[in-house]
Amino acid sequence: MLKKIRQALLQKAENPHPGFEGRSLYPNQDEPLDITFAKEFTDLGGKFVYCEGEIDLIEQLIVLVEKVSVSKIYVWEKGLQDLLEPYGFPIRKSLQGLQEIEASITTCEALVARTGSVLLSNANESGRRLSIYAPIHIVIAKTSQLVSEMKDGLAIIQERYGEAMPTMISAVSGPSRTADIEKRMVLGAHGPKELYLFLIEDRF
């Protein structure tokens, strides 16, 4: 048996399906990517908010913060701090008191429309902690970050970082959930109970 396996490994056969890896898993893409993403993301329990620009983003964030009544909001990315601080958001920039966290705001690497997934990595200042510690995770993204399939999102990350790829890349699809205990669905078992995606229009 082992001899047959070795012989099979030595014999190089032609690929019976050439070009398979380059083909799209979803050849018929009729609707815009933002519509597809919003449908898939909300079906998975995520909360999607479309923003026409940065001013609209700020207004929508203010509404959300007041609605969920949070004040301990952690933001570690410099770009987000510069965006939010002029409007008086009660953000925390240090590592201290992380056990008190009520919400976190981060960016992402890409958005995968077909699966409604948010691609995150530990390459920016938010690291891994802010995407899993907070009971409410708010992601701010742009329409230019939308891709159709997972392979397209991974290609963007590969192009961005080259050989210095992040040590952690995760695809977040909705809030954290598990049914391990007595087959009862529990939210927030391994991460946020609520996941918000604020999508800023930047195509026009």
Side-chain angles (χ1 to χ4, degrees):
M1 177 62 75
L2 291 177
K3 288 182 179 179
K4 291 181 180 180
I5 294 174
R6 289 193 188 98
Q7 289 175 355
L9 291 172
L10 291 173
Q11 293 174 356
K12 294 184 178 180
E14 293 185 5
N15 186 350
H17 305 288
F20 175 78
E21 293 184 357
R23 290 190 300 176
S24 172
L25 293 174
Y26 312 94
N28 299 320
Q29 176 67 50
D30 297 326
E31 63 184 3
L33 291 181
D34 51 348
I35 301 298
T36 302
F37 176 84
K39 288 179 180 178
E40 297 295 330
F41 184 74
T42 53
D43 283 348
L44 292 167
K47 298 176 182 179
F48 178 85
V49 182
Y50 176 82
C51 304
E52 295 182 351
E54 288 190 356
I55 298 300
D56 191 23
L57 166 69
I58 297 300
E59 292 175 349
Q60 302 262 28
L61 279 173
I62 291 173
V63 171
L64 174 61
V65 169
E66 292 177 347
K67 178 182 177 181
V68 297
S69 298
V70 294
S71 59
K72 301 178 180 68
I73 306 171
Y74 280 71
V75 182
W76 289 347
E77 296 175 50
K78 184 65 165 58
L80 290 179
Q81 292 172 358
D82 293 342
L83 173 65
L84 299 174
E85 281 188 311
Y87 298 93
F89 272 87
I91 62 175
R92 296 190 177 188
K93 300 185 287 185
S94 70
L95 300 177
Q96 297 178 348
L98 193 57
Q99 69 278 3
E100 301 175 355
I101 190 171
E102 294 177 336
S104 65
I105 303 178
T106 73
T107 58
C108 66
E109 299 289 350
L111 304 174
V112 183
R114 284 294 186 174
T115 59
S117 301
V118 181
L119 289 186
L120 303 171
S121 82
N122 64 340
N124 60 33
E125 298 99 318
S126 293
R128 183 170 182 266
R129 283 175 288 184
L130 285 193
S131 65
I132 61 173
Y133 276 18
I136 299 174
H137 181 200
I138 301 166
V139 180
I140 295 176
K142 297 180 179 179
T143 50
S144 58
Q145 292 179 282
L146 281 162
V147 296
S148 179
E149 301 173 28
M150 188 66 69
K151 65 181 180 66
D152 303 319
L154 295 175
I156 286 178
I157 296 175
Q158 178 69 64
E159 181 179 354
R160 181 173 298 148
Y161 297 104
E163 295 182 358
M165 285 287 285
T167 56
M168 186 281 294
I169 299 173
S170 63
V172 178
S173 303
S176 171
R177 71 196 77 190
T178 183
D180 292 342
I181 303 173
E182 298 182 355
K183 296 183 179 180
R184 294 176 59 186
M185 183 62 69
V186 177
L187 295 179
H190 310 295
K193 289 183 178 180
E194 296 182 66
L195 177 63
Y196 290 84
L197 191 288
F198 284 73
L199 185 66
I200 304 174
E201 179 62 71
D202 68 341
R203 292 172 296 188
F204 309 114

